[in-house]
Every structure is written in C-alpha cells, then in structure tokens.
Amino acid sequence: MELSKTDAPLNILVVGLGLIGGSFAASLRDCGENFHLMGFDLRDEYIEEAVSLGIVSEGCDDFESAVSKADVIQISVPMLAMPKVLGQLKGLDLNGKVITDVGSCKGSLVKAAQDIFGQVPENLVPGHPIAGSEKSGVTAAKSGLFKSHKVILTPLENTDPSALSLIRYLWQCCGAQVNAMDVQRHDEVLAMTSHLPHLLAFSLVDTLAGNPENQDIFRYAAGGFRDFTRIAGSDPVMWHDIALGNSDAILASLDQFSEGLVHLRQAIVEKDSKSLLATFERARTARQHFASMLERRAYMATLNENQGDSVTFVAQPGGTLKGELRVPGDKSISHRSIMLGALAEGETIIDGFLEGEDSLATLQAFRDMGVDIEGPHDGRVVIHGVGMQGLKPPVGPLYLGNAGTAMRLMAGLMSAQRFDVTLTGDQSLSSRPMDRVVNPLVEMGAEIETAAGGRPPLKIKGGKSLKGIDYEMPMASAQVQSCLLLAGMYAEGETSATAPGVVRDHTNRMLTGFGYPLKVDNARVSIQGGGQLSSTAIDVPGDISSAAFFIVAATIASGSDLLLTHVGINPTRTGVISILQLMGADITLLNEREVGGELVADIRVRSAILKGIDIPLKLVPLAIDEFPVLFIAAACAEGTTTLRGAAELRVKESDRIQSMVDGLVALGIDAEALVDGMVIRGGRPFCAGTVDSHGDHRIAMAFVIASLRSQGEVRILDCAHVATSFPNFVRLASRAGLTLSTEGIQA
Ligand code: S3P
C-alpha cells in the first residue's frame, strides 16, 4: 500500500505509551511517511513525556475524542487491560477505522473481542511484534526497536483484507518483517519460545533471591547467570498478564520442560554420563542449528516467502593472493558421512566435517530421528550408529534448509523406513525439482506426495517394501544415483542406476568404506538390498568446490602464489582444474595421497594469463558446481569462452545461468545466456557495480572473486547462504588477500 505525500495525514492513535506503543509511534515518526501521531495513556506523565520527547505530536487525555479523530488505533496496553479498552471502544463509532494491538497472546485477545463485540470486528487486526527489552516505560521507547524484527499478524477469516494490509504496511514502515500466522499456532509457538523462558528466568531469580545465602549468590553470579536471567528484569504486570492470558499453552510447555528436567536430574543421580552428554550435545547443536538456520534466515524464509535476506558483501577492487589456506570440508562427503554413519553398526568418527548449514541440517535431521551424534567440535563428529533399522520417527517434519543433496539423498533412505516422514526446506529448496528422485523411487514401490510440479515438501509414507529397479537416469546427477543406491540398500534384489556421463562417486567410495559391497561398471552402479554397514573412520578432505574460488582468484590476481592444502581431488570433481588448465592456468598438484578412500592433494596456484575456450562437454559434469566462478575466469580471459550442455545449472540453488549473466552484464561484461550454457567474450576489467546473488552461495562467492579485477567496489546482495557451504569464507578471503566486508546480519 502506498500513501501519497499529498494526501491528508493518516491519523494514528497509540493507546498505551509504554515501551512498545512509544517505540511504534517513534518508528512511524521517523519513517518519512505522512502520519499524524497521537498518544493516549491513563498516566498523564507518560503523555507529557511522549509529547516532550517528540514521540507523538499530539497528546490526548480524552479517549473518546482521540478515537473520533483516529484512522488507526493501536492498542499497546498490558494484556489484561485489553478487554477494558475494547469495551470502551465498543460504544464508539468505529466506522472506517482500523484497530490493532501488540499483545503477546492472541487467543485471549480474540476471545475478549468476541465476548465484547459478539464477533471479532472485521476491522480488528490482531498483531504481535517480537521485539522488546527488559526496560519498560515511554522513556525506554526508541525508534528502530522493530527494525529487522518479526511482527506476527494473526488475521481471522473475517478480517478485512484492506485493514490487514494497512497494518502490515505500518509495521513495514517501522522496518519490521511481517508474517501471518494462525491464532492458536501463534500462542503455542510463543509459549515455547518466549513465555516459558521468561517464566524460567523469573522463577530462577526468585528462588535464588529467597535463599538465605542470596548475598553471596548474587555477588558471585557469573556471566551465565546474567545471560540466563536478563529477562527477569522485564515488566511484572505485562508478564503476569501473559502468564494468565496464554495459560493453556504455557502450562503445556512448562510440563514438557519439567519432564526434561526430571530426566536430567535422574541422569545426574545415576551418574549417567552418556545421557547427560547426549542431552547437552543435542541442545548445543540444536541451538547452533536454530540460531543460524532458523532465527537468521530460514525461519524468515519459511514464514515469509517474500522475505529478502540482508547480508551484503562489499568487495574492494584489486588484491594479490599469497600464503597457505585450508578450505572447509567437502559438502558432498560430509552429508554422506552422517547418513551412512547413522545407519552403521557401531561408532563412526568423522574428521574435517563441514560445519556449514547444509551438512548441519543433515546432522540435525538424523538427531531428530534419534541418532546420538556428538559434535561437531573443530570438525570432529562422533556418530553412535543405530543400524539399518534403528531410526526413530521424528516428531515433526525434517527441515533441510537450503540443502538439495540432503533432500534428494534422504528421499531414498526415508522411502524405506517404517514410519512416515516429511522433508521440507527453505524457499530456494522448495522451488527445486524433486521428481528426478521421486519418479524412480515410486517405481521401486515408494509412496511420496510432493507439492505442485514435483517440488518439496516431500511427504513420504512409511512401511513400504521397495523392489530393485534398473534405472537409466535422464540427467547426469550424482544425487539421483546416490538416492537410488541408498534406497537400494533396503530394496529386494538389485538396484542399478546408470548415469549418462560421469558423476561424482563419493557414495560408491563411502559405501565401500562402510563395508557395503556394490558393483561399478563405468556409469552403471548396482547394489544388492539387505546388507549392513559397519562403522568406520572418515577424514573429510577440503571441498574442491570451495577451493575453486581461490584457484580462480589466485589465477586472475596478478602476482599471486597460493597454496591450498588438503583439497579433495576425486577425479569426478576435478573438472575445474582441467578447464582452467585448458585456459592457460598455472596449477600444480603437490603431495598427492589417498585419505580414507578419497584422493587428496595440496594445490599450488600462480597467476596466469587466461584465454577463452570451448569447454569440452565431457568436463561439464565434473565441474558442475564450479561454473559460477569459472564464468568469472572466462570474463578475465582473452577471447570467447563457450559453455554448452549445462542445462542443470538452471535448477541449482538459483538459475545459475541467468543469475551469472545478469551479474556479469551489471559489471560491464559481454555475456550471453544460452538455454544450456553461456557465451562470454572476456578480456575487459569488471566495472564497479551491484549484483544480486539470488541467495545462491556460489554466485555470491564468485562475484567476490570478480572484484580482484574490477575498477571499483563490487556490492553483492543476499549473501547469507554462503554459510551453507563455506561458513568462514569472509575470514579466509580476507586472510588470502581480498578486501571484503559485510553489511547486515553477519554470515
Ligand atoms: C551433489 C551432486 C551435484 C552437485 C551438488 C552436490 C552431491 O548435484 O551439484 O552440489 O553431493 O551428490 P547433481 O547430482 O544434481 O548434479
């Protein structure tokens, strides 16, 4: 909704000038729109304060006349005072006005409105900003309190859509991210995530304060106590009202929490180290998982499909790469190590595990199915395997974030379990095709329901018996082949999958490492169902797909000499090196060795003059993830580089052909998209500019590398997903010689 500056101002009345009401008014005052802000409060001094601080331009001491002038009425009073305000509103003419509130419990507000008005008025939009502070009162109010915070609106069936969009718009003017949710769901979620922790903090401080030793306890209280109890400084009236207003959901979450405490207590009594460690470990990683995957991006993406991401990379031009770097562990191998380790008998120890969001999503999914997994601690993960039939039904859908490999491989495994599973992902993953795995799995006897167009979520029925098939894959995809091999372990008879070209073979190597036999006949791989996996040790090499950014960087930045240590050089993955060498790159593999069934080397790269080439078709699947950065190399090469046969790039984390062409053109490069590839006429420097990574980690990192040969600053938008595969990219890139900073939420 647009408000024209020439219109009369929108009159907004804030009823209750506390922290939230005051901050709402202050944020609207500063947003640049044409609003007239009025404030009403029972406490005269709050009204005076709000006027003198300039938070509202009109202080109102008469409720009725204030309401008569208002277009929007924002009720920001404590929960239990809401019915009284609604009651006062009932007698007044509310025609054409929109009413909203900020209460933490929506069920009780809706019930009060029903009781008072007979039915919830169409012009009432229940709302709840998820922001606050332990401080209270109008003096604590601040413009910007809601910036980048979520606001949940809980419209009802009869809510007037234009009222809803006006309130949505006002919150957006405050800089908030607005989501819609069902009333009951809102209350359940908030009981767990906000109300329970507040009650615990209040209770802990109160219990300790009642202890006769309290002087000493508070004198020696450490940081943990401070962190845990900060919120016990919150407004008691507000929390009293919330405790009673959302009592059902709060009691349910308190009961659940108490059960967990009883278990923990029992584990201490019984000196059950295994159980204690498992609880702490699960909690630690769940927290990391949720903090990074849910709070920051995925949560926003799930709740609000249109939500952008706010990490921008800012790369300064020029730089030379020197020294030695070790890139994080291989993503493909990390995913597979969790899956096979979980299903093996015994303890599997993984070193070099990629602590990126994608592989952590896989790890969390197996924890959610009852597997005890310790770590990761500095890349070490210990999995207490449960055996082929030992997975337990998860309590809810398995959320796989951005991870296509996790979803496609797990579709195979989950199709063969005794229980139902739903696999979900973020916005990008939810738009990727899954029919490539669903179709052959269904042929094997699986029952899978997808969203329209064969997209996630995948609802997989348990208790199906699978039969082996002999499948000719329509595309060269390791994910499809691996999915079928994993399903094949559970199927009756033999399952074969033949790829039309070479695909990465980590699954074959790792199955062999876990003692599961399979037959490899060129592109055809076959597996017999009914076998077992025996635990093993896995050393995950550095990911060549991550190293690729620095291989290209050192090649195009003059005067560079860089050593990338312990990089996986599995022959099904080295297309990037072969292509760059054909273009004239100076790349030497040193100290080649085999580590746990995978080839590894140190890679020395010195700068070189590149020339354009026609990329050989047979190298395409061997470099499928590296094309974004190869396009940057091609832009730096003299002459024309042509890529064909790479239509798969269109269905990666973004349409990588279009995303790259758009970005290259924005930076002044002559690049043309083909249906299945690209033509780049290179040799000119990049100009300064802004490109959109479309939330695709590899596009974001590729354009950072372009800055080495740019004439000015390169800004890259929407970069948070870099953490899916390369969590310490900014630090490593800066150490290697790039000048890179971030704006927005830190990656
Ligand atoms: C992967 C296979 C490739 C690759 C992806 C990881 C894997 O996908 O692009 O990043 O780990 O099996 P396709 O199988 O779709 O080619």
Side-chain angles (χ1 to χ4, degrees):
M1 175 179 173
E2 280 288 313
L3 290 181
S4 150
K5 300 240 186 271
T6 56
D7 283 344
L10 187 77
N11 295 309
I12 300 171
L13 171 65
V14 177
V15 179
L17 291 166
L19 170 74
I20 299 294
S23 300
F24 179 71
S27 305
L28 291 180
R29 172 199 64 194
D30 292 345
C31 77
E33 288 292 353
N34 192 8
F35 299 138
H36 175 66
L37 290 154
M38 304 185 289
F40 173 85
D41 200 289
L42 290 178
R43 296 154 293 193
D44 288 345
E45 65 280 14
Y46 270 39
I47 302 180
E48 279 159 30
E49 197 99 56
V51 174
S52 76
L53 291 170
I55 288 176
V56 294
S57 43
E58 184 182 343
C60 312
D61 49 17
D62 181 66
F63 185 71
E64 200 172 324
S65 80
V67 169
S68 72
K69 284 190 268 176
D71 302 306
V72 175
I73 301 153
Q74 168 66 284
I75 312 176
S76 301
V77 301
M79 282 303 308
L80 292 193
M82 294 271 178
K84 186 161 167 237
V85 178
L86 292 178
Q88 284 171 327
L89 283 173
K90 186 178 180 226
L92 307 178
D93 177 11
L94 299 175
N95 234 335
K97 302 182 193 300
V98 176
I99 306 160
T100 186
D101 80 307
V102 296
S104 296
C105 334
K106 305 305 349 150
S108 55
L109 174 94
V110 165
K111 169 134 193 347
Q114 252 155 8
D115 293 348
I116 290 164
F117 292 95
Q119 68 158 3
V120 180
E122 287 165 16
N123 56 348
L124 171 63
V125 182
H128 176 206
I130 316 283
S133 152
E134 68 282 10
K135 303 198 184 90
S136 46
V138 70
T139 46
K142 62 171 190 193
S143 165
L145 182 70
F146 307 110
K147 203 156 197 277
S148 303
H149 279 256
K150 289 180 256 300
V151 169
I152 301 175
L153 301 180
T154 59
L156 305 170
E157 255 175 29
N158 71 337
T159 305
D160 175 0
S162 63
L164 176 62
S165 62
L166 176 60
I167 299 305
R168 178 185 287 274
Y169 172 71
L170 292 181
W171 282 115
Q172 283 166 346
C173 288
C174 299
Q177 298 150 357
V178 187
N179 312 127
M181 227 190 232
D182 167 73
V183 170
Q184 192 187 340
R185 183 79 192 124
H186 167 277
D187 285 0
E188 286 164 4
V189 169
L190 267 289
M192 300 271 186
T193 54
S194 168
H195 307 168
L196 178 65
H198 276 84
L199 296 197
L200 299 185
F202 281 123
S203 168
L204 177 66
V205 177
D206 183 51
T207 308
L208 296 190
N211 187 312
E213 308 290 323
N214 66 29
Q215 289 290 329
D216 272 355
I217 289 171
F218 288 105
R219 188 172 308 130
Y220 298 112
F225 179 82
R226 222 182 0 255
D227 289 350
F228 187 85
T229 58
R230 179 180 60 79
I231 50 181
S234 304
D235 183 358
V237 176
M238 172 173 153
W239 283 97
H240 159 267
D241 289 7
I242 292 172
L244 299 182
N246 195 21
S247 53
D248 288 351
I250 289 178
L251 288 176
S253 62
L254 262 180
D255 290 348
Q256 218 180 323
F257 177 77
S258 309
E259 245 176 66
L261 265 190
V262 169
H263 269 113
L264 209 52
R265 185 178 191 288
Q266 198 54 27
I268 297 173
V269 170
E270 289 168 9
K271 304 208 181 330
D272 182 351
S273 300
K274 189 161 176 267
S275 161
L276 279 175
L277 279 171
T279 306
F280 297 156
E281 199 61 62
R282 270 197 312 272
R284 192 180 84 115
T285 24
R287 189 179 188 287
Q288 282 161 354
H289 178 72
F290 290 122
S292 66
M293 297 192 67
L294 302 184
E295 279 170 22
R296 197 182 63 216
R297 296 180 298 97
Y299 178 62
M300 299 191 308
T302 322
L303 288 179
N304 183 352
E305 295 297 283
N306 300 318
Q307 199 60 62
D309 211 314
S310 53
V311 178
T312 298
F313 281 171
V314 184
Q316 301 304 329
T320 299
L321 285 92
K322 293 271 187 203
E324 214 176 285
L325 278 190
R326 180 162 172 168
V327 296
D330 188 282
K331 183 152 75 74
S332 295
I333 298 177
S334 296
H335 280 301
R336 289 159 170 82
S337 65
I338 296 288
M339 297 179 196
L340 297 190
L343 295 172
E345 304 283 343
E347 188 178 282
T348 289
I349 298 177
I350 307 165
D351 281 304
F353 182 79
L354 168 66
E355 296 183 39
E357 290 184 357
D358 274 14
S359 37
L360 289 173
T362 296
L363 187 150
Q364 185 63 33
F366 280 87
R367 278 209 172 108
D368 290 346
M369 291 187 286
V371 183
D372 267 356
I373 306 178
E374 296 170 39
H377 301 296
D378 292 333
R380 171 164 282 215
V381 174
V382 179
I383 308 181
H384 301 274
V386 295
M388 296 298 284
Q389 306 297 340
L391 295 178
K392 300 207 180 86
V395 281
L398 296 176
Y399 179 72
L400 301 172
N402 197 243
T405 304
M407 186 166 289
R408 295 205 178 117
L409 269 58
M410 286 180 66
L413 286 178
M414 296 300 107
S415 293
Q417 303 304 315
R418 283 165 290 115
F419 46 84
D420 297 354
V421 175
T422 298
L423 303 179
T424 69
D426 70 4
Q427 189 183 0
S428 151
L429 183 54
S430 302
S431 63
R432 297 183 66 187
M434 292 296 143
D435 39 6
R436 55 182 60 199
V437 290
V438 171
N439 294 342
L441 286 171
V442 167
E443 243 183 82
M444 291 176 78
E447 195 180 320
I448 306 175
E449 195 188 305
T450 67
R455 321 261 155 195
L458 301 185
K459 293 189 177 158
I460 305 175
K461 221 81 230 87
K464 298 277 152 190
S465 0
L466 304 184
K467 285 211 167 55
I469 56 169
D470 190 351
Y471 190 66
E472 295 282 340
M473 295 155 47
M475 71 287 290
S477 165
Q479 292 177 351
V480 176
Q481 191 171 59
S482 301
C483 163
L484 297 183
L485 294 175
L486 297 180
M489 295 193 295
Y490 290 89
E492 188 191 320
E494 186 176 83
T495 302
S496 301
T498 309
V502 180
V503 296
R504 63 190 67 190
D505 64 0
H506 304 299
T507 306
N508 313 353
R509 287 171 190 260
M510 204 181 284
L511 279 168
T512 308
F514 275 89
Y516 202 115
L518 75 177
K519 271 194 311 221
V520 181
D521 180 8
N522 293 317
R524 184 169 194 264
V525 187
S526 313
I527 196 164
Q528 196 73 36
Q532 299 292 325
L533 297 163
S534 329
S535 56
T536 183
I538 295 171
D539 187 339
V540 183
D543 197 329
I544 191 166
S545 298
S546 299
F549 298 102
F550 292 104
I551 298 177
V552 171
T555 300
I556 64 171
S558 66
S560 297
D561 187 349
L562 186 70
L563 187 69
L564 294 153
T565 58
H566 203 79
V567 182
I569 52 157
N570 178 314
T572 60
R573 297 282 300 280
T574 46
V576 61
I577 295 178
S578 313
I579 292 169
L580 284 169
Q581 283 173 333
L582 287 174
M583 296 173 80
D586 182 355
I587 303 171
T588 322
L589 300 188
L590 304 167
N591 192 15
E592 284 184 47
R593 56 215 182 262
E594 197 187 301
V595 179
E598 290 282 353
L599 283 178
V600 173
D602 301 331
I603 304 179
R604 181 173 183 190
V605 190
R606 281 169 285 195
S607 28
I609 308 286
L610 297 180
K611 60 178 193 308
I613 58 165
D614 284 345
I615 296 174
L617 271 183
K618 66 173 186 337
L619 291 180
V620 171
L622 311 190
I624 195 69
D625 287 343
E626 288 67 70
F627 283 110
V629 78
L630 281 169
F631 294 145
I632 300 298
C636 298
E638 285 300 330
T640 302
T641 297
T642 308
L643 170 70
R644 305 294 318 234
E648 277 293 299
L649 293 181
R650 295 219 179 254
V651 288
K652 293 293 178 188
E653 284 83 330
S654 71
D655 174 345
R656 285 187 175 157
I657 293 177
Q658 203 53 51
S659 309
M660 283 305 297
V661 164
D662 291 347
L664 288 168
V665 169
L667 299 183
I669 302 298
D670 181 354
E672 186 194 327
L674 306 173
V675 245
D676 62 345
M678 201 184 294
V679 180
I680 299 174
R681 286 168 274 274
R684 282 200 311 223
F686 300 93
C687 52
T690 299
V691 298
D692 190 339
S693 79
H694 295 281
D696 183 329
H697 54 139
R698 300 202 198 280
I699 306 286
M701 290 185 277
F703 281 113
V704 168
I705 304 307
S707 69
L708 288 162
R709 290 274 286 262
S710 74
Q711 292 167 321
E713 184 177 281
V714 178
R715 296 177 69 80
I716 307 138
L717 308 178
D718 201 1
C719 294
H721 283 77
V722 164
T724 58
S725 66
F726 205 150
N728 54 350
F729 175 71
V730 174
R731 198 158 41 81
L732 281 196
S734 306
R735 217 179 79 199
L738 286 109
T739 311
L740 177 61
S741 58
T742 58
E743 287 175 4
I745 307 166
Q746 293 302 298

